């Protein structure tokens, strides 16, 4: 069933119960996420839900309407320009098995393992049987990237794409969307693949996890994919349903970060480019490579950027609210940008060729972020490795854990 505005049968007479303070669409019952105002048009107060307003307003004066979508069989063949590695193939078989048995699965795969392609066989089988499929992620960047890869592989399939403000909708049988969009689907999808399950805000927001469960049919399969699983994810799938993939698709080891002790803060505050940072960047440029410099705070980035720009004109900086964010990321793929300063916004979902990484103030990042950041390096088969430098004022548990996890992946072991 799909919640649709304006047409269809009435699902709930009000989107929001203004007395009990509950949103019937997203399940929000936290008072701080409701807004009330007087409406002249209705001649009464109107309360609406702030939690799910990004997908259309759910309020106390408008009913929620719903439509039922008939299932339909589709041939849904796909084509890949390469063969899956043995590891990918085994993992793909397990995803198919989970689909057959209506089980949930956790795919714990190293960054750059080629997780997306591992789901293709199960997606194809599901659609051939007329089952509804959703590929979702908390991150818009990931959703866009996955959509491109799916449309390239499943050339004849009708794939819906939904994220804030963007709607390419056919028949809701094969949908790529952000997790938030699932608030509009009830008992609808038979196979749900959740990519980057550990990414903000999914782990912090139990309502979003509830939305996934509500969007799934009774006999469904939910496949969680992540490089950094939490205990909760493992419990969700069950330990016997955890599939691990410790090798990247190209078979090379993950790059292990090198730690450089020292703080860059003082230099930056005095408007000086830290000498170590300068040398590292120089070294990267001399080898005709490019570098992502991760910075822990936007304020530090704003101070540092002019200092870098002075020495390296082919540089840019990017953060989540930056309107030119996508343009700047694209310029890093070409030759216009060689040094890109960034917050954790680029810790996942991006791939650049010939890339090295520097993390400033590494002591301020958590393990999940550091693992993702390291995962940016060596993703391409013709550039399978690179350098990662952590500049840190002191060692932290997060830094130690990151290195331990990467080294165990390289030995074919996992930390769980
Ligand atoms: Zn809501």
């Amino acid at each position: 069933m799909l919640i649709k505005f304006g047409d269809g049968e009435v699902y709930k007479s009000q989107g929001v119960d203004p007395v009990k303070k509950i949103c019937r669409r997203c399940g929000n019952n936290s008072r701080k996420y409701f807004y009330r105002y007087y409406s002249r048009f209705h001649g009464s107060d109107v309360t609406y839900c702030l939690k799910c307003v990004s997908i259309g307003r759910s309020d106390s004066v408008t009913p929620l309407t719903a439509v039922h979508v008939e299932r339909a069989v589709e041939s849904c063949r796909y084509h890949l320009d390469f063969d899956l590695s043995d590891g990918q193939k085994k993992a793909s078989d397990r995803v198919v098995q989970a689909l057959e048995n209506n089980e949930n699965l956790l795919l714990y795969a190293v960054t750059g393992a080629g997780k997306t392609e591992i789901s293709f066989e199960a997606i194809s089988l599901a659609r051939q049987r007329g089952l509804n499929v959703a590929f979702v992620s908390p991150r818009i960047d990931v959703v866009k990237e996955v959509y491109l890869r799916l449309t390239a592989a499943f050339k004849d399939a009708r794939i819906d794409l939904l994220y804030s403000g963007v709607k390419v909708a056919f028949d809701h049988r094969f949908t790529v969307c952000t997790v938030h969009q699932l608030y509009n689907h009830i008992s609808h999808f038979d196979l749900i693949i959740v990519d980057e399950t550990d990414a903000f805000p999914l782990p912090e927001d139990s309502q979003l996890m509830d939305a996934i469960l509500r969007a799934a049919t009774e006999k469904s399969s939910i496949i969680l994919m992540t490089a950094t699983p939490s205990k909760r994810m493992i419990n969700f799938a069950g330990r016997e349903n955890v599939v691990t993939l410790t090798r990247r698709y190209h078979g090379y080891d993950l790059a292990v970060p090198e730690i450089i002790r020292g703080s860059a803060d003082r230099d930056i505050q005095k408007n000086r480019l830290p000498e170590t940072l300068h040398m590292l960047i120089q070294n990267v440029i001399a080898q005709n490579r490019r570098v992502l410099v991760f910075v822990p705070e936007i304020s530090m980035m704003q101070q540092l950027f002019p200092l870098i720009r002075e020495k390296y004109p082919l540089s840019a900086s990017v953060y989540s609210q930056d309107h030119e964010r996508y343009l700047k990321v694209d310029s890093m793929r070409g030759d216009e940008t060689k040094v890109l300063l960034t917050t954790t916004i680029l810790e996942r979902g991006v791939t650049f060729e010939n890339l090295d990484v520097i993390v400033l103030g590494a002591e301020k990042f958590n393990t999940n972020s550091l693992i993702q950041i390291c995962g940016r390096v060596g993703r391409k088969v013709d550039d399978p490795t690179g350098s990662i430098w952590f500049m840190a004022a002191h060692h932290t548990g997060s830094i130690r854990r990151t290195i331990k996890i990467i080294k165990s992946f390289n030995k074919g072991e996992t930390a769980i």
Side-chain angles (χ1 to χ4, degrees):
M1 185 162 76
L2 292 177
I3 292 179
K4 279 205 165 179
F5 294 90
D7 54 356
E9 68 184 62
V10 173
Y11 165 61
K12 297 283 177 193
S13 57
Q14 295 174 297
V16 166
D17 183 326
V19 181
K20 289 184 184 160
K21 292 277 190 307
I22 292 176
C23 173
R24 302 291 183 201
R25 180 172 59 186
C26 75
N28 167 33
N29 61 0
S30 168
R31 285 172 179 268
K32 65 182 175 186
Y33 290 120
F34 289 101
Y35 185 78
R36 190 176 71 177
Y37 69 99
Y38 178 77
S39 160
R40 274 170 181 262
F41 178 78
H42 291 98
S44 66
D45 281 352
V46 175
T47 304
Y48 70 90
C49 173
L50 293 167
K51 198 83 195 249
C52 61
V53 72
S54 66
I55 56 168
R57 205 165 93 169
S58 169
D59 65 33
S60 56
V61 290
T62 317
L64 288 180
T65 55
V67 292
H68 292 274
V69 178
E70 292 295 319
R71 280 176 165 63
V73 171
E74 192 179 23
S75 74
C76 213
R77 306 271 172 217
Y78 66 97
H79 172 76
L80 286 175
D81 291 332
F82 53 90
D83 292 329
L84 294 186
S85 68
D86 287 348
Q88 282 176 306
K89 180 79 184 60
K90 275 187 197 147
S92 164
D93 291 346
R94 284 295 303 272
V95 179
V96 169
Q97 196 188 333
L99 173 75
E100 302 284 2
N101 301 335
N102 308 121
E103 284 171 347
N104 300 326
L105 191 81
L106 171 62
L107 179 59
Y108 175 19
V110 55
T111 53
K115 290 196 295 295
T116 312
E117 289 76 12
I118 289 168
S119 66
F120 284 8
E121 187 61 28
I123 291 175
S124 177
L125 279 175
R127 290 298 303 120
Q128 284 169 40
R129 293 170 189 174
L131 302 175
N132 293 334
V133 175
F135 199 115
V136 305
S137 172
R139 292 281 304 263
I140 289 180
D141 311 51
V142 174
V143 166
K144 287 181 179 177
E145 165 91 18
V146 162
Y147 178 72
L148 292 178
R149 280 156 76 179
L150 285 170
T151 46
F154 291 86
K155 283 212 165 31
D156 300 323
R158 289 150 63 96
I159 307 178
D160 300 19
L161 172 65
L162 307 169
Y163 60 90
S164 60
V166 172
K167 202 170 184 185
V168 181
F170 294 104
D171 35 31
H172 300 274
R173 293 180 185 126
F174 185 175
T175 300
V176 181
C177 66
T178 47
V179 180
H180 287 87
Q181 297 288 332
L182 293 184
Y183 286 140
N184 279 335
H185 300 81
I186 299 166
S187 193
H188 179 74
F189 291 111
D190 308 289
L191 173 63
I192 302 182
I193 296 144
V194 189
D195 198 3
E196 305 283 357
T197 312
D198 60 294
F200 178 82
L202 191 50
E204 292 83 5
D205 192 339
S206 60
Q207 245 171 266
L208 279 177
M209 201 58 216
D210 291 345
I212 296 173
L213 294 173
R214 193 177 68 153
T217 54
E218 210 174 306
K219 274 186 156 190
S220 63
S221 232
I222 299 174
I223 315 293
L224 304 181
M225 305 204 293
T226 179
T228 48
S230 64
K231 279 208 176 73
R232 220 166 130 202
M233 288 182 217
I234 297 167
N235 291 341
F236 175 82
R239 201 163 271 274
E240 66 287 1
N241 293 324
V242 179
V243 178
T244 55
L245 196 56
T246 55
R247 274 276 130 195
R248 286 184 150 177
Y249 73 95
H250 54 48
Y252 287 83
D253 272 3
L254 292 161
V256 180
E258 186 184 325
I259 313 241
I260 298 174
R261 286 288 287 271
S263 169
D265 292 13
R266 197 185 296 166
D267 279 332
I268 295 171
Q269 273 159 19
K270 289 187 175 169
N271 273 328
R272 285 193 306 242
L273 181 61
E275 190 50 34
T276 318
L277 178 62
H278 183 27
M279 277 167 52
L280 291 176
I281 297 177
Q282 217 167 16
N283 187 21
V284 170
I285 302 288
Q287 295 184 45
N288 202 20
R289 295 174 66 80
R290 45 175 75 83
V291 64
L292 276 177
V293 182
F294 284 87
V295 186
E297 293 121 19
I298 293 179
S299 56
M300 187 198 247
M301 189 162 87
Q302 283 164 340
Q303 268 189 301
L304 177 63
F305 180 58
L307 305 173
I308 293 207
R309 183 89 195 214
E310 204 183 324
K311 299 263 196 277
Y312 304 99
L314 299 181
S315 58
S317 65
V318 69
Y319 60 100
S320 64
Q321 301 303 318
D322 190 338
H323 296 301
E324 293 177 10
R325 176 174 146 196
Y326 298 109
L327 276 176
K328 288 176 178 175
V329 168
D330 276 346
S331 77
M332 180 78 166
R333 295 207 169 95
D335 276 333
E336 304 99 276
T337 303
K338 292 284 187 185
V339 183
L340 184 57
L341 269 70
T342 179
T343 57
T344 52
I345 190 71
L346 294 188
E347 73 179 23
R348 58 179 95 212
V350 290
T351 296
F352 303 106
E353 225 161 321
N354 301 323
L355 182 81
D356 295 320
V357 160
I358 299 169
V359 184
L360 277 186
E363 73 278 7
K364 294 176 186 162
F365 291 79
N366 64 34
T367 305
N368 283 7
S369 271
L370 291 173
I371 293 269
Q372 292 294 340
I373 287 170
C374 293
R376 295 312 97 207
V377 166
R379 298 175 75 86
K380 296 271 191 180
V381 70
D382 42 8
D383 175 39
T385 189
S387 300
I388 304 163
W389 295 283
F390 285 178
M391 291 179 64
H394 51 267
H395 247 300
T396 62
S398 295
I399 294 175
R400 261 190 288 272
R401 264 193 302 282
T402 301
I403 293 175
K404 191 174 159 213
I405 290 171
I406 290 175
K407 284 184 172 170
S408 38
F409 272 145
N410 285 344
K411 281 190 246 161
E413 299 160 1
T414 54
I416 60 167

